[in-house]
Amino acid sequence: MNEKYFPEVIEAKWQQHWHDTHAFEVKGGDQRPKFYCLEMLPYPSGFLHMGHVRNYSIGDALAWYKRLQGFNVLHPIGWDSFGQPAEQAAIKRGVNPRAWTEENIVHMRGQLQRLGVSYDWSREIAAHRPEYYKWDQWFFLKMYERGLAYKKLSPVNWCPREGTVLSNEQSSGGVCWRCGAAVEKRDLQQWFLRITDYAEQLVADTAEIEATWPEKVIKRQRDWVGRSEGAYIDFTVKDSDKKIRVFTTRIDTVFGATAIVLAPDHPLIDELLKGSALRGDVERFAQKVAAERKRPADASAEEIKEGLNTGVLAVNPFSRETIPVWVANYVLMDYGTGAVMSVPAHDERDFEFAQKYSLPIRQVIAPVTHRQIAAEPQSVTGTDQSAEMRHAFTDYGVLINSGEWGGKLSAVAIKEMAQHAETSGFGGGAVTYRLRDWGISRQRFWGAPVPIIDCAKCGSVAVPYKDLPVLLPETAEFTGSGESPLSGVPEFVNTTCPQCDGPARRETDTMDTFVDSSWYFFRYCDPRNEAAPFDPEIVKQWIPVDQYIGGDSHAVLHLIYARFWNKVMRDLGLISFAEPVKKLLTQGMVTNRVEGTDEWKAMSKSLGNGVDPDEMIEAFGADAARLFILFAAPVENELRWNETGIEGAVRFLRKVYTMVWRWHERLADPGQRVPAAQAGEFSAGARALRRKTHQTIARVTNDFEHLHLNTSVAALMELFNELTDLEVQPDTASPSDLFAVREALESLTLMLAPFCPHIAEELWEKLGHSGGLLAQATVAAVPTWPQADPEWARKEELEIPIQVNGRLRARVLAAPDVSEEDLRAAALADEKVRSFIDGHEVVKVVVVPRRLVNIVVR
RNA sequence: GCCGGAGUGGCGAAAUUGGUAUACGCACCAGACUCAAAAUCUGGCGAGGUCACACUCAUGUCGGUUCGAGUCCGACCUCCGGCACCA
């Protein structure tokens, strides 16, 4: 090879080598410990973007690090290949979604290979291929059998003029994007997965991953599930045997309830208003609310609250008080029970509502201080200030105006009143969740068909397992009308009922693409299995995933679905663990300046601030691009693109390359290697180099364990700078010098491999090793990663800062094992120090062994 | 509005978790090489101050704890994210 660094030559050479030797293909069950390194699979849009490059560079660095450490590393990749863009391309440009997707995959696979990412390509999967989505359908049927998949009427956006379904985006502002007609909410039969059955587990099991997932993600998932502890209370409807059940987290405020408020679409309304003169008004109100479900962003909370008194009365089971029943738009049917007790004095929303409609405001909680609680814990007294209330008082306090409960503290009352409700039979403690079931129906072509057949006689019938997969037709007519294109393919739609053999229609909805990505990393373990989604025995060897890496945009979508799916698979008996991913890293965005502005935004086509990875690779090489990306910022930070930064990375690699070339002839013959003990006395320069080498190994190894990749690179640069400072030259080097240089260069090369695998392979070869970097780790199962010798990593001489009254005044040199007394004496004897303490009284001397001395004077 | 996170040179960032603030890199400045430029190499690079030292100030602001605070505590300011009528 050449004396000059030509990345394109080196990179092509080693990519070919890896391909020819199947270097990254793994099999389970060898004697090495396993490591599953997973990056979020890309959607095959056609082009890799810098976010992908960052994601895969991080993952690849870790995969290489673990391999060199002697782990059997599973590092797979695949394609999240169902989804919108393919269908949009079909609608707009008339292309076939399958052909479009396949072409994109070919192109992007090439890009990943040019980047040199060490994937096991033999395990590549793609969601749109029948051998994959067959198992989406299989899982769907398993869930259907267990009642975890169900169909229900659910509101969608509907254009009455065109008679089609619109997405949220297509109906923004409440009008159809094409014809401008007012969009209605219409109920359609849609398929759901009962993720709410797992709400409690999804919250509780976060304890298992709390320490190893980003706090931010855990928090968002908990918020998303929205567990809330409170109580149910049944209010009896006056002159009726009907009851209205409300959910509250503040049962201690029940004596302050001055109304019951129902969601406009509450099912009880119909029955309660039978024969009422107000019935028509309430119905009209409900329709109006349904039509404008979206909250205008600029409206104040009070403005948009609207309600109507139904004329119905209800009785508070605690106070026996009779209060009116209202309907209002701020109460949601799909949370809690769809009914609330309105306590204006102690709830902001109820307060606003009460102000607007002049409902009474009655204070039942008074503020208390800790001092009061300490003084009379059993019966604290509070003052009623209802008349002057200008805001709701939402804190805990002491109960007033609450009959026999008066004087109790909120915390106590909450427990006792729930208990009382339960023993009296009108309620009790309860937990509710914000989480809703996962709607997976999409009226689209490019997805996995829901494996259900609708029969006029038998209803919804599951497609028998033996008939899977339900294949997508080759193509369909893409009108963009909003209806599933599948419904326009008679060969697909028309079928026979598996139960009665009569004519029947297939379900034309396809599944949300998040279904595909909920379990794909299980499939990687056993990607060609034709009899099952995977063999549990094989999966057991690899999963849980040891490290998962991706953007945090999926914090509550993909990552919560995947956790849900895992729990379902466990309940199906396929696996035995609750959580599929041990450690999660959410990498930061890659941003670039938006031209003509000072703003840094995520690279995107529409902003015109994208940078093409291919161009970077061509200009600087894959190694330099990857090195820059990992060096420029901590992995979880935003990364601001900077072209001069990548030039710096090339500069560094060129210097390392030249350095190895300068030395390699004197180092190349492995036969001449001598162990350290026989290398003779080390010169001062060689000692310094060896020390730096071992310190660097310790630092980089430690940094890798925490994925502090940017500081690892900095450490490698420092080691290189130490080599530059070396006075001895190749032609004058003694055997012990050569030993130290070899040790430094080999360590540097090995530790560079996770960042820049191509040049590392090249230099490793140059240093006299054959078979590639992984020869030892994979063939002989011996770790190749360098080991820090603690003796050498330790400093030879310490520079101890001496402070006087906390201000740095001098530094003294000391041996690492210097005693406290000697250090103290040395500090006090220092000439510079003396000039600061002479004439003062030494009050105290703080000696921190090996660290510093602080002399306190007066 | 509620809940989180973060503020360190011109810039990206370090700081073994309470012990020498600014490692490493980018940009910039000077010198060497060159007819010249680029590339490369060498040196400098927080602010004030000094011929040079000395010294003083500096991790968003103000206060506190401590021999000692970027790090811990309290208040405030600014920016960035998430949720948004969730009872």
Side-chain angles (χ1 to χ4, degrees), chain A residues 1 19 22 42 78 83 101 118 137 218 230 266 274 297 303 343 407 415 426 440 447 461 477 563 591 691 700 716 832:
Chain A
M1 279 282 151
H19 177 262
H22 306 277
T101 301
S118 65
Q137 295 170 339
I218 298 277
H266 196 290
K274 248 176 210 145
E303 259 176 89
V343 185
K415 282 195 196 107
F426 56 76
I440 57 159
V461 180
E477 202 184 328
R563 293 182 59 221
T591 62
R691 217 174 303 124
V700 172
L716 294 179
K832 185 89 180 297

Side-chain angles (χ1 to χ4, degrees), chain A residues 288-540:
Chain A
K288 192 178 131 217
V289 172
E292 48 183 48
R293 241 319 173 204
K294 267 195 188 149
R295 170 186 182 153
D298 48 353
S300 80
E302 193 170 327
E303 259 176 89
I304 61 162
K305 281 193 179 54
E306 282 188 55
L308 197 64
N309 192 339
T310 63
V312 176
L313 295 172
V315 178
N316 183 331
F318 276 90
S319 66
R320 303 265 126 227
E321 189 185 1
T322 299
I323 54 176
V325 177
W326 286 62
V327 288
N329 61 350
Y330 76 98
V331 178
L332 309 172
M333 192 53 228
D334 46 12
Y335 181 77
T337 61
V340 302
M341 59 177 197
S342 177
V343 185
H346 303 291
D347 182 280
E348 309 253 359
R349 296 149 302 175
D350 295 340
F351 189 87
E352 285 160 6
F353 190 67
Q355 293 239 299
K356 181 161 177 177
Y357 292 100
S358 304
L359 294 166
I361 296 170
R362 185 192 314 132
Q363 186 182 7
V364 292
I365 305 288
V368 279
T369 61
H370 292 292
R371 193 170 304 165
Q372 279 175 286
I373 296 172
E376 23 169 18
Q378 288 317 307
S379 64
V380 191
T381 47
T383 353
D384 183 350
Q385 296 171 309
S386 306
E388 302 100 74
M389 285 187 98
R390 310 176 101 227
H391 306 278
F393 173 71
T394 58
D395 289 347
Y396 290 141
V398 61
L399 275 67
I400 58 172
N401 297 331
S402 296
E404 58 180 299
W405 306 91
K408 285 190 189 285
L409 296 174
S410 292
V412 177
I414 285 172
K415 282 195 196 107
E416 294 183 2
M417 292 172 103
Q419 189 60 48
H420 174 72
E422 192 176 333
T423 46
S424 313
F426 56 76
V431 175
T432 62
Y433 303 88
R434 279 168 84 156
L435 186 70
R436 301 184 191 154
D437 278 338
W438 175 12
I440 57 159
S441 275
R442 297 292 179 270
Q443 290 74 41
R444 305 241 162 80
F445 172 82
W446 197 231
V450 171
I452 291 288
I453 291 169
D454 284 324
C455 170
K457 251 192 268 166
C458 315
S460 286
V461 180
V463 172
Y465 286 101
K466 66 173 172 53
D467 294 343
L468 296 184
V470 175
L471 281 175
L472 273 182
E474 260 318 298
T475 187
E477 202 184 328
F478 297 96
T479 59
S481 71
E483 217 180 328
S484 173
L486 287 175
S487 55
V489 184
E491 315 84 89
F492 179 85
V493 175
N494 299 323
T495 185
T496 51
C497 171
Q499 258 170 41
C500 70
D501 244 0
R505 289 175 57 85
R506 266 188 208 287
E507 175 64 65
T508 57
D509 284 354
T510 53
M511 294 186 230
D512 185 1
T513 57
F514 281 104
V515 167
D516 312 320
S517 55
S518 289
W519 66 281
Y520 73 100
F521 49 99
F522 285 80
R523 185 70 180 174
Y524 283 144
C525 300
D526 190 13
R528 308 291 169 243
N529 196 325
E530 287 177 14
F534 52 80
D535 177 344
E537 285 307 309
I538 296 177
V539 155
K540 214 155 70 179

Side-chain angles (χ1 to χ4, degrees), chain A residues 638-657:
Chain A
E638 173 188 335
L639 172 72
R640 297 188 166 193
W641 192 256
N642 170 5
E643 192 112 346
T644 59
I646 192 168
E647 282 166 17
V650 183
R651 210 144 46 211
F652 174 68
L653 293 180
R654 200 179 290 140
K655 287 191 287 192
V656 174
Y657 187 88

Side-chain angles (χ1 to χ4, degrees), chain A residues 61-62 64-66 68-69 627 652 691-720 744 746-755 785-788 793:
Chain A
L62 185 64
W64 268 98
Y65 167 71
K66 286 290 175 182
L68 290 168
Q69 282 216 320
L627 185 66
F652 174 68
R691 217 174 303 124
K692 189 68 177 177
T693 301
H694 286 276
Q695 284 168 358
T696 306
I697 296 168
R699 260 178 80 184
V700 172
T701 307
N702 184 53
D703 279 350
F704 255 101
E705 294 302 325
H706 302 101
L707 288 172
H708 293 162
L709 303 183
N710 58 324
T711 49
S712 293
V713 177
L716 294 179
M717 288 172 169
E718 280 186 49
L719 174 58
F720 177 80
E746 288 191 344
S747 302
L748 179 60
T749 300
L750 289 171
M751 291 189 285
L752 199 54
F755 304 98
W785 190 257
Q787 276 258 312

Side-chain angles (χ1 to χ4, degrees), chain A residues 544-565:
Chain A
V545 170
D546 293 279
Q547 178 73 61
Y548 197 15
I549 306 161
D552 70 359
S553 54
H554 292 297
V556 289
L557 290 168
H558 162 58
L559 287 170
I560 211 161
Y561 295 142
R563 293 182 59 221
F564 159 65
W565 210 273

